[in-house]
Amino acid sequence: MKLFQTLMLLALVFGWSKTIQAQTYTALQDLNISLSEQTYAAPVKNRSVTGEELSIGGEYFSDGIGVHSNSVIKIKMNNGSHFSAKVGVNDSKVDYESENIKTIPLTDGKRIFYEVTSSKKQFVGVEGENGSVDQGSVIFKLVHNGEEIYNSGIMRKGDAAKSIDLDVKGGVLELIVEDAGDGPSGDHAVWVEPKIEFFEIAPVIKPGDFVGEKVEQNSVVREYLLGKLSKLKAVQLPLGQPNYDWLIDHSKAKAEVLKSGEDQLVLSNGLIARTFKLSPNLATIDFTNLMTGETLLRAVSNEGVLTIDGRSYDIGGLSPQPEYGYTLMKWTEELMATQNSFQIQDFEVREITDRLVWKRVRWAMNKEMPSGKEVVFTLEKEGILVKVHFALYDGIPTLSKWIEVINDSDLIVQLNSFKLEQLAMVEGENLVETPENWVKPNIHIQTDYAFGGMQQKTSQETVFWEKDPRYTTQTNYPLNLPCLLEVKPPLGPETAIAVGDTLSTFRVWELPMDSRDEERNGLFIRKMYRTISPWTTENPIFLHLTSTDPEVVKTAVDQCAEVGYEMIILSFGSGMDMEDESEENYRKFRELREYANAKGIELGGYSLLSSRWISEEVDVINPETGKRGGMIFGSSPCLSSEWGYDYFRKIKKFFNQTGMQVFENDGSYPGNVCASTSHAHHNGLGDSQWKQYAQIQGLYQWMRAEGIYMNVPDFYVNSGTNKTGIGYREVNWSLPRERHLMHGRLNIYDGLWDRIPSMCWTFVPLTQYHGGGAAATLEPLKDHLKDYENHMMQNYGSGVQACYRGPRLYDAPETKKLVKEVIGWYKEYRNILNSDIIHLRRPSGKDWDGFMHANPALKEKGLAMFFNPTDKEMVREIKLPLYYTGLTDEAKVREKEGKSVNYTLDREYNIHLKVIIPANSYTWYVIE
């Protein structure tokens, strides 16, 4: 019985209807068309090969593939059954007499034409007989399993499009464009709306595994590399598992660069290890989680992919592998250098250097930049150098990677896109069917190219878990396993690299886990942030002031100084305008900053960026409509417009002129693309996201170097900012005060699984906010002392600073006394309160809730906070988990400043603590 009939029968018998999917189709332009073969330039998605709009005989189209004769796109059909498209020669309006048109000679005496500016290089044609570019004539063919099944006949520029509609089942389908006999000049052919209908297993462009003649490594280079490698400390593989928990003591985890065998370099810190083969080319042959002893890779992997001038090149790589579900190490000795790839020339070992300048001017839990080892591999192809950087940190199981592309050739090049990583990962789960959500491999991946969200999960735009068409032995029948990790920008960069210039990619951090436990995984991520971005451990105590009236500001400064606050942020609605370049504006805020500094208080303020409408000429252009609107926030200014550049100039000038020390940037760049071709500092859609991000990241890195504190409601923490919002709904502050408290603790509890307390701010409006009236408002503060105290204690007790937003901190002696006592308590226990949270019980309103800080390196190993949301006193025996305090046998525990009591830990590192929690209040315990 045929397979399909068998599946249908099983579906009827067992109700497996969800495994029998409807016929669907794939658009060919969405496949990896860079794998195609083409004599001149490279295939282009949704544009002509010259970069112009798709247009045949005056009819415009939006979807398709632009090619140039001679061209072959080979498609492995899998379960494909039908092909359709329209074909023709693209209309063109290129002015070959323009001063931007440059040419380079070919070996046959002809020339290639490029449109070249300082920021863009675009192929526009091949010289014809008359010294310019001809009109063009081509023949389109379809060849299925070696047999021609379609021939368009000769088609010329201006001819109407022809339609193709054919049943084509399985095998290999070749889309061919040939020169029609009068030379290739002007042969700008297009496949419009090409699609293949398929059942279950989608068609793919045939991968470029080279199976022909072996690519030999230069013998001089090989001897140089092996000689350099031989000087490293030798180690036997596999490496052993650590006999310690790095979350308790990470002092033994030291990064090393080692040698294994004749040609393998190993980068390891005892927690993870990445192994590279240097001959016949650079490739990652293993990536090991030493904490579990398991490999993360099922196949040998390259070091990324660059698409330059439309053509894709592997960075290193070895192929073909006989099997892509697992690897026998003896296979790695038989693999060849991947054809047409960048070839390794050198490597360098050095200490990790600081990735940005951090001016330290205030308290921080971690005052040190990370240490470890860096390996830099240098590869080359046709005058383009690629430096692949790997940084392995001491103390944490984290590896970072980034790439530099250096144009050492004779002509500007266009970096269309890149893949920073392309790792053949061991799958997270194996299923015959395709679930709605797959379990991914147990590794945390993130980059500093992040925007559009307050959490890493919602702001991460660069991590893709793709299918691997080479892995044909996988359990999943449609080959849908998401097991090929690709780290890449979602768009572009589509950026020119001038001769002698360098383009650097963003950085990726790779953090394997050793369990699926939510708390433990969160601790891995939190320790990573504390190490790689230590400025996030700065955590000043600040007030959000709602006025810029000098008398109000000075009064607030005086109050802050008297109770121990450290910073004031002039909030939204306060009247601050950093874009006002008048000397009067600068003088006013300079004098206020000087007054605040004299009292030991830092001063800064708020500026709105992206969530505003400026003008038709400035705002980002929607690529679907060609107009502004319909984007994130409806519309936003393009940061790469003249207005955008001027905004950043004004912000820097304001800080230089006033000496302000805090920047709260609301509506920071959220990831908008922009299809404008008239903005001064980007060329069009392709480079718009890359260049806008560079603008905002550059501002934040400048501020980090200046020691300016930054609150930004997006996940720019790895680009230099200090805090992002913990996550809350602002209208909840219109609810009664007792409900504020519960929602506040819910936000704290839920927001600190994968972020550290000092990375987050929460919110406490002291005056009416979004309505709610007297029942919702804390002012007058002296009338609501208990509510004010509870807010401060749960916020400071978690280590999360709140934006206490209002005109003052206290309104009576008793209020002042309360604030001063709370701040004094917080400063006494500041180190442990800024340590990692261990989640005890989520707030429910039904019973107690709480959390505990833990830090094995401190005298106070833990501090637990317990809350009672009910109107009756609670007496509870609570099991307190002390494993992450580092204590193993005995703990000294005291309630508040009371006498310590000794407790013996059980075999699971728990103690049982009798706790009394007052009604509608809290208590706290110190563990030593």
Side-chain angles (χ1 to χ4, degrees):
M1 184 178 291
K2 294 180 180 178
L3 177 60
F4 180 76
Q5 292 172 316
T6 303
L7 287 171
M8 288 298 293
L9 179 60
L10 290 171
L12 291 172
V13 173
F14 296 105
W16 292 352
S17 59
K18 64 181 179 180
T19 67
I20 309 301
Q21 300 174 0
Q23 193 99 343
T24 187
Y25 70 87
T26 188
L28 297 192
Q29 69 269 16
D30 293 333
L31 301 181
N32 189 3
I33 59 175
S34 66
L35 295 174
S36 307
E37 301 171 16
Q38 191 163 298
T39 307
Y40 301 103
V44 180
K45 175 180 177 179
N46 298 337
R47 309 288 286 184
S48 161
V49 72
T50 64
E52 297 172 276
E53 290 182 276
L54 296 177
S55 172
I56 303 174
E59 184 180 2
Y60 287 88
F61 304 93
S62 59
D63 302 320
I65 303 172
V67 298
H68 194 291
S69 71
N70 291 307
S71 167
V72 181
I73 303 174
K74 293 184 179 180
I75 302 165
K76 184 178 180 183
M77 292 289 285
N78 290 325
N79 285 358
S81 59
H82 191 89
F83 174 82
S84 63
K86 293 179 181 178
V87 296
V89 178
N90 207 77
D91 302 327
S92 179
K93 297 179 181 179
V94 176
D95 177 9
Y96 292 97
E97 301 300 319
S98 167
E99 62 179 15
N100 289 333
I101 299 297
K102 310 295 181 184
T103 63
I104 59 171
L106 299 172
T107 56
D108 62 2
K110 299 294 184 183
R111 297 175 298 165
I112 292 184
F113 289 77
Y114 291 96
E115 182 181 6
V116 179
T117 68
S118 61
S119 60
K120 183 179 180 182
K121 174 187 175 186
Q122 174 65 55
F123 169 87
V124 290
V126 178
E127 184 180 8
E129 294 301 321
N130 62 0
S132 186
V133 176
D134 297 340
Q135 292 296 302
S137 60
V138 301
I139 299 173
F140 293 86
K141 293 181 179 180
L142 292 181
V143 174
H144 184 229
N145 294 337
E147 178 183 349
E148 184 177 304
I149 59 172
Y150 174 81
N151 188 309
S152 68
I154 296 176
M155 297 191 71
R156 296 180 170 83
K157 180 180 174 181
D159 291 349
K162 292 184 178 180
S163 296
I164 305 173
D165 198 21
L166 295 172
D167 288 332
V168 187
K169 295 184 179 180
V172 175
L173 178 65
E174 298 177 59
L175 280 61
I176 299 171
V177 175
E178 293 181 349
D179 160 27
D182 57 354
S185 184
D187 290 354
H188 308 155
V190 290
W191 300 88
V192 171
E193 298 169 358
K195 61 184 181 182
I196 295 175
E197 292 187 11
F198 70 94
F199 173 76
E200 285 201 316
I201 305 178
V204 294
I205 307 291
K206 286 196 69 175
D209 269 350
F210 182 60
V211 294
E213 182 180 354
K214 186 175 182 180
V215 178
E216 295 286 351
Q217 187 175 43
N218 181 287
S219 59
V220 174
V221 172
R222 184 176 189 276
E223 291 306 312
Y224 169 76
L225 292 170
L226 298 189
K228 203 169 185 179
L229 190 64
S230 68
K231 298 176 183 179
L232 299 177
K233 176 183 172 183
V235 67
Q236 289 290 322
L237 298 179
L239 299 175
Q241 292 180 239
N243 59 1
Y244 59 91
D245 186 345
W246 73 274
L247 287 175
I248 306 300
D249 179 8
H250 62 252
S251 61
K252 298 178 183 177
K254 296 294 185 182
E256 295 182 283
V257 183
L258 309 163
K259 166 186 176 288
S260 178
E262 181 188 34
D263 63 355
Q264 295 178 20
L265 182 148
V266 182
L267 184 56
S268 175
N269 64 2
L271 302 174
I272 59 174
R274 187 152 170 167
T275 303
F276 306 90
K277 202 168 188 298
L278 305 189
S279 179
N281 203 359
L282 175 67
T284 294
I285 61 173
D286 202 7
F287 190 3
T288 313
N289 182 343
L290 298 176
M291 298 172 288
T292 64
E294 296 177 319
T295 182
L296 300 167
L297 299 185
R298 52 183 171 74
V300 173
S301 297
N302 60 38
E303 299 310 331
V305 180
L306 301 180
T307 302
I308 298 174
D309 292 339
R311 294 180 181 268
S312 291
Y313 307 93
D314 285 0
I315 302 172
L318 301 173
S319 59
Q321 192 162 320
E323 165 67 55
Y324 286 90
Y326 63 92
T327 300
L328 295 178
M329 293 307 285
K330 67 179 181 180
W331 291 347
T332 65
E333 300 302 318
E334 303 165 359
L335 299 178
M336 298 176 288
T338 303
Q339 187 189 37
N340 210 28
S341 60
F342 281 83
Q343 302 290 306
I344 185 171
Q345 306 296 315
D346 199 357
F347 72 89
E348 178 186 358
V349 177
R350 59 198 188 197
E351 298 296 317
I352 284 180
T353 54
D354 295 351
R355 62 187 169 90
L356 53 81
V357 179
W358 173 29
K359 185 176 180 181
R360 299 154 177 81
V361 297
R362 60 187 64 85
W363 183 92
M365 185 74 178
N366 178 15
K367 298 177 178 61
E368 303 299 325
M369 292 291 278
S371 60
K373 294 292 185 183
E374 181 180 341
V375 178
V376 186
F377 297 103
T378 300
L379 300 92
E380 187 272 341
K381 183 173 180 59
E382 298 174 0
I384 306 298
L385 296 180
V386 175
K387 290 188 177 291
V388 184
H389 297 253
F390 289 93
L392 183 62
Y393 300 97
D394 293 333
I396 58 173
T398 304
L399 180 69
S400 183
K401 181 181 181 182
W402 69 100
I403 291 173
E404 294 177 282
V405 184
I406 305 165
N407 184 3
D408 205 23
S409 71
D410 298 326
L411 187 67
I412 189 172
V413 297
Q414 190 84 5
L415 181 62
N416 310 106
S417 63
F418 65 82
K419 296 175 182 176
L420 179 53
E421 281 281 41
Q422 192 178 50
L423 293 176
M425 302 288 288
V426 172
E427 56 266 38
E429 66 176 335
N430 249 315
L431 297 173
V432 175
E433 300 83 17
T434 300
E436 185 174 346
N437 294 297
W438 289 91
V439 173
K440 302 297 194 304
N442 197 17
I443 184 171
H444 178 79
I445 307 290
Q446 74 175 84
T447 73
D448 58 355
Y449 195 71
F451 36 72
M454 291 186 183
Q455 285 87 16
Q456 183 270 339
K457 183 181 292 185
T458 53
S459 66
Q460 193 58 258
E461 303 288 340
T462 55
V463 179
F464 298 84
W465 292 96
E466 305 285 11
K467 306 169 189 176
D468 190 345
R470 305 170 302 172
Y471 187 8
T472 57
T473 55
Q474 62 184 260
T475 301
N476 181 257
Y477 179 72
L479 307 182
N480 283 334
L481 268 177
C483 56
L484 187 66
L485 171 63
E486 293 191 343
V487 179
K488 57 192 177 185
L491 180 68
E494 202 60 60
T495 296
I497 309 175
V499 175
D501 281 358
T502 299
L503 182 145
S504 296
T505 69
F506 51 77
R507 300 191 183 211
V508 63
W509 287 272
E510 301 165 355
L511 172 63
M513 306 292 183
D514 65 0
S515 80
R516 294 279 181 178
D517 177 74
E518 185 177 16
E519 189 80 88
R520 188 168 178 83
N521 286 357
L523 286 167
F524 270 52
I525 296 169
R526 288 176 254 161
K527 296 291 188 185
M528 180 190 73
Y529 290 135
R530 293 181 184 277
T531 303
I532 68 171
S533 300
W535 49 86
T536 62
T537 69
E538 294 181 357
N539 203 10
I541 309 166
F542 57 79
L543 167 69
H544 250 226
L545 191 61
T546 54
S547 174
T548 56
D549 179 275
E551 292 308 312
V552 176
V553 174
K554 290 178 181 179
T555 299
V557 167
D558 294 343
Q559 286 196 348
C560 285
E562 288 173 0
V563 299
Y565 265 58
E566 299 163 339
M567 180 180 286
I568 292 175
I569 302 175
L570 300 174
S571 186
F572 53 94
S574 67
M576 167 166 272
D577 182 3
M578 294 186 183
E579 298 167 57
D580 178 355
E581 295 186 85
S582 68
E583 179 54 37
E584 180 184 3
N585 190 54
Y586 292 147
R587 183 171 53 254
K588 171 183 176 180
F589 289 107
R590 182 168 54 247
E591 291 175 353
L592 290 175
R593 190 270 306 163
E594 290 170 349
Y595 182 87
N597 287 177
K599 296 292 184 79
I601 305 299
E602 292 187 291
L603 184 65
Y606 170 97
S607 177
L608 181 66
L609 174 55
S610 283
S611 50
R612 57 199 275 195
W613 295 60
I614 305 299
S615 70
E616 297 281 354
E617 294 75 27
V618 166
D619 289 0
V620 290
I621 298 300
N622 189 326
E624 295 183 2
T625 65
K627 301 177 181 179
R628 68 173 179 164
M631 305 295 284
I632 301 169
F633 304 128
S635 189
S636 293
C638 178
L639 306 194
S640 291
S641 64
E642 285 288 10
W643 183 96
Y645 266 56
D646 202 42
Y647 173 84
F648 290 109
R649 180 192 62 79
K650 289 176 180 177
I651 296 300
K652 287 185 178 181
K653 183 179 178 182
F654 179 84
F655 278 90
N656 284 327
Q657 290 288 326
T658 64
M660 284 285 196
Q661 298 146 308
V662 193
F663 184 51
E664 189 159 278
N665 197 195
D666 199 1
S668 54
Y669 173 62
N672 275 313
V673 299
C674 178
S676 171
T677 57
S678 62
H679 287 163
H681 302 286
H682 75 98
N683 291 313
L685 179 64
D687 66 340
S688 63
Q689 196 173 63
W690 180 264
K691 289 182 176 174
Q692 288 186 85
Y693 187 81
Q695 277 292 100
I696 195 77
Q697 187 181 54
L699 176 68
Y700 295 153
Q701 291 183 351
W702 174 81
M703 289 189 165
R704 181 79 288 121
E706 294 293 314
I708 297 167
Y709 194 83
M710 285 171 279
N711 278 359
V712 177
D714 276 303
F715 207 79
Y716 283 92
V717 291
N718 292 320
S719 293
T721 65
N722 297 89
K723 282 191 195 303
T724 184
I726 198 168
Y728 49 81
R729 185 174 292 276
E730 290 194 345
V731 295
N732 284 354
W733 302 105
S734 65
L735 300 172
R737 285 182 296 276
E738 65 273 13
R739 294 173 66 181
H740 295 180
L741 285 169
M742 283 297 293
H743 283 294
R745 286 208 305 283
L746 284 165
N747 296 335
I748 289 167
Y749 195 92
D750 295 340
L752 297 181
W753 286 103
D754 55 6
R755 291 177 294 172
I756 62 178
S758 54
M759 284 171 65
C760 305
W761 79 72
T762 187
F763 191 48
V764 180
L766 304 180
T767 55
Q768 184 169 276
Y769 195 74
H770 284 287
T777 308
L778 284 170
E779 283 274 11
L781 300 173
K782 61 182 174 58
D783 296 339
H784 308 110
L785 286 180
K786 191 61 182 176
D787 294 313
Y788 196 20
E789 176 187 358
N790 283 340
H791 270 297
M792 287 191 292
M793 285 302 296
Q794 68 185 34
N795 293 330
Y796 291 120
S798 68
V800 175
Q801 296 296 333
C803 300
Y804 295 93
R805 187 173 189 272
R808 56 192 175 181
L809 279 173
Y810 57 83
D811 56 358
E814 59 268 31
T815 318
K816 176 181 177 180
K817 180 175 181 292
L818 170 65
V819 176
K820 192 171 184 177
E821 287 176 352
V822 173
I823 297 304
W825 171 79
Y826 172 74
K827 287 186 173 180
E828 181 179 354
Y829 293 103
R830 192 168 200 162
N831 285 328
I832 187 62
L833 291 173
N834 277 271
S835 299
D836 283 320
I837 286 280
I838 304 300
H839 295 73
L840 299 179
R841 180 182 285 181
R842 189 176 190 271
S844 67
K846 301 179 179 68
D847 204 342
W848 71 272
D849 60 87
F851 46 77
M852 179 181 72
H853 297 274
N855 191 333
L858 298 179
K859 174 179 176 291
E860 296 91 1
K861 306 296 183 184
L863 191 150
M865 300 285 300
F866 302 104
F867 302 93
N868 178 359
T870 73
D871 56 6
K872 294 182 180 179
E873 179 181 274
M874 285 184 184
V875 180
R876 298 287 187 272
E877 184 176 280
I878 296 173
K879 182 173 71 173
L880 203 59
L882 299 185
Y883 175 78
Y884 292 111
T885 66
L887 298 172
T888 57
D889 300 314
E890 189 173 79
K892 294 180 179 180
V893 183
R894 58 180 166 84
E895 183 178 12
K896 298 182 178 177
E897 302 298 349
K899 184 178 179 181
S900 293
V901 177
N902 290 345
Y903 288 82
T904 300
L905 279 67
D906 64 22
R907 294 181 63 182
E908 295 182 343
Y909 305 96
N910 301 315
I911 62 171
H912 292 266
L913 187 68
K914 184 179 179 180
V915 174
I916 301 173
I917 316 173
N920 295 307
S921 191
Y922 62 90
T923 189
W924 51 277
Y925 285 75
V926 176
I927 300 100
E928 296 175 325

